[in-house]
Amino acid sequence: MADRESGGCCRCCFSFIITLGLTSLFMWLSLRADNPKCTIKHFYLPALNKTLNDSKNSTLIFELKLDNGNKDKGIYYDPINLTFYDNPNVSQSLPMGNFIIPGFRQGQNKKAKRIESLEVNRTLATARAFPNGSAVFRVDMATELRFRIMFWKTKRHKLILRTNVEVDSEGAIPKDHQKKGFRLKSGAPEHWGGGAQIGLFVGLMVLVLLNFR
Ligand SMILES: *[C@@H]1O[C@H](CO)[C@@H](O)[C@H](O)[C@H]1NC(C)=O
Ligand SMILES: *[C@@H]1O[C@H](CO)[C@@H](O)[C@H](O)[C@H]1NC(C)=O
Ligand SMILES: *[C@@H]1O[C@H](CO)[C@@H](O)[C@H](O)[C@H]1NC(C)=O
Ligand SMILES: *[C@@H]1O[C@H](CO)[C@@H](O)[C@H](O)[C@H]1NC(C)=O
Ligand SMILES: *[C@@H]1O[C@H](CO)[C@@H](O)[C@H](O)[C@H]1NC(C)=O
Ligand SMILES: *[C@@H]1O[C@H](CO)[C@@H](O)[C@H](O)[C@H]1NC(C)=O
Ligand SMILES: *[C@@H]1O[C@H](CO)[C@@H](O)[C@H](O)[C@H]1NC(C)=O
């Protein structure tokens, strides 16, 4: 009697672990979301264009591309804070300018482009150019995201990225690099880990249901 009972319990326990494992895996796969790919595709400082001869111009024109690669998850962006620095070296750099892109909603599998211009500190921008006319700047990006998964939105999740942008003697990204652009990157892992928590929650629900069978 005692043997049969413990055998049944073992089988039940085994199937429970399998169910829990598969459910968690499925939930994790369907709920995890990738951060958007963010790229500086265009970056132009007319003041650094040697053929233009317009060193008094303090305009910076840039294009930011945001690529939501998630096939079934939309993204809500909070305002995107872009700061442009005169130097790739974080400990030496000074901010030349700042631009805020208003928050917006991006559908699943969609790309968004923002072409904007701002006035920057021209003294800092021109001081950084090498004798051959090229220069390297830094762009920092900070925002918060919520993912839309089926019918609900996730909580806010920080996205802090950075890249160095090289310009040639025309004050723009060299022609052979324009297609690729400069991808903004973070030091932190790229995946959103919230799915694991929900997987665990569903696993617990399964446990409760099994106990009432
Ligand atoms: C630089 O200035 C020249 C002369 O006006 C212009 O033809 C060229 O398109 C400019 N470069 C860029 C990258 O806009
Ligand atoms: C650039 O502009 C300055 C001042 O307007 C002028 O003296 C100079 O000749 C110009 N150089 C070229 C190459 O156009
Ligand atoms: C600076 O250059 C940009 C691009 O060439 C131009 O649109 C803008 O009008 C210029 N600004 C001034 C103050 O000349
Ligand atoms: C944008 O980022 C810069 C640099 O981190 C910061 O100084 C500034 O306060 C931020 N602006 C907003 C509106 O958060
Ligand atoms: C960045 O600047 C700091 C302080 O001046 C310096 O010690 C460091 O070597 C620099 N790093 C690079 C990669 O140039
Ligand atoms: C540009 O930056 C330099 C160095 O930080 C500063 O001394 C200067 O006042 C700034 N110019 C403007 C127009 O803000
Ligand atoms: C210009 O000079 C800088 C520093 O000396 C160098 O890193 C860069 O490769 C040069 N660019 C070109 C196009 O020669």
Side-chain angles (χ1 to χ4, degrees), residues 2-205:
D3 271 5
R4 272 189 61 185
E5 240 176 42
S6 85
C9 184
C10 223
R11 216 179 309 132
C12 169
C13 192
F14 182 71
S15 72
F16 161 67
I17 288 170
I18 295 286
T19 313
L20 180 68
L22 286 178
T23 311
S24 306
L25 181 68
F26 171 75
M27 291 304 284
W28 182 75
L29 283 176
S30 63
L31 291 177
R32 93 198 171 118
D34 288 334
N35 282 334
K37 284 192 190 118
C38 308
T39 313
I40 300 288
K41 294 286 284 185
H42 189 66
F43 187 102
Y44 178 42
L45 281 159
L48 294 186
N49 186 348
K50 285 199 164 163
T51 45
L52 186 60
N53 195 15
D54 185 11
S55 61
K56 297 259 186 309
N57 191 317
S58 56
T59 306
L60 165 64
I61 301 164
F62 70 92
E63 178 188 322
L64 176 68
K65 184 178 166 196
L66 301 151
D67 182 355
N68 176 13
N70 294 293
K71 286 190 183 63
D72 47 11
K73 293 166 194 79
I75 298 180
Y76 294 89
Y77 294 88
D78 278 359
I80 300 172
N81 182 357
L82 291 166
T83 311
F84 300 89
Y85 290 91
D86 68 337
N87 194 321
N89 190 329
V90 175
S91 57
Q92 289 182 337
S93 58
L94 294 167
M96 308 190 294
N98 178 261
F99 194 92
I100 309 275
I101 295 175
F104 69 101
R105 173 179 187 278
Q106 181 175 43
Q108 58 206 36
N109 229 351
K110 288 275 198 303
K111 294 178 175 68
K113 278 182 186 173
R114 293 286 183 274
I115 300 171
E116 307 287 355
S117 69
L118 66 148
E119 298 301 303
V120 297
N121 184 324
R122 189 165 42 85
T123 318
L124 287 175
T126 50
R128 285 297 304 165
F130 297 116
N132 63 15
S134 70
V136 185
F137 299 102
R138 192 176 94 237
V139 183
D140 282 13
M141 171 179 154
T143 187
E144 294 196 19
L145 306 174
R146 283 167 297 163
F147 292 99
R148 186 186 170 85
I149 299 178
M150 288 179 274
F151 306 113
W152 75 92
K153 288 184 199 171
T154 65
K155 64 178 191 204
R156 280 188 166 76
H157 147 76
K158 278 195 169 61
L159 185 65
I160 297 182
L161 306 172
R162 167 172 294 172
T163 192
N164 296 335
V165 173
E166 291 163 37
V167 301
D168 59 14
S169 59
E170 284 195 21
I173 294 176
K175 289 211 166 47
D176 59 3
H177 205 78
Q178 279 169 3
K179 194 160 186 258
K180 195 171 172 222
F182 291 96
R183 168 108 182 253
L184 290 138
K185 291 184 178 153
S186 86
E190 290 279 303
H191 295 297
W192 176 66
Q197 289 151 28
I198 297 170
L200 197 64
F201 171 75
V202 172
L204 285 172
M205 291 303 290

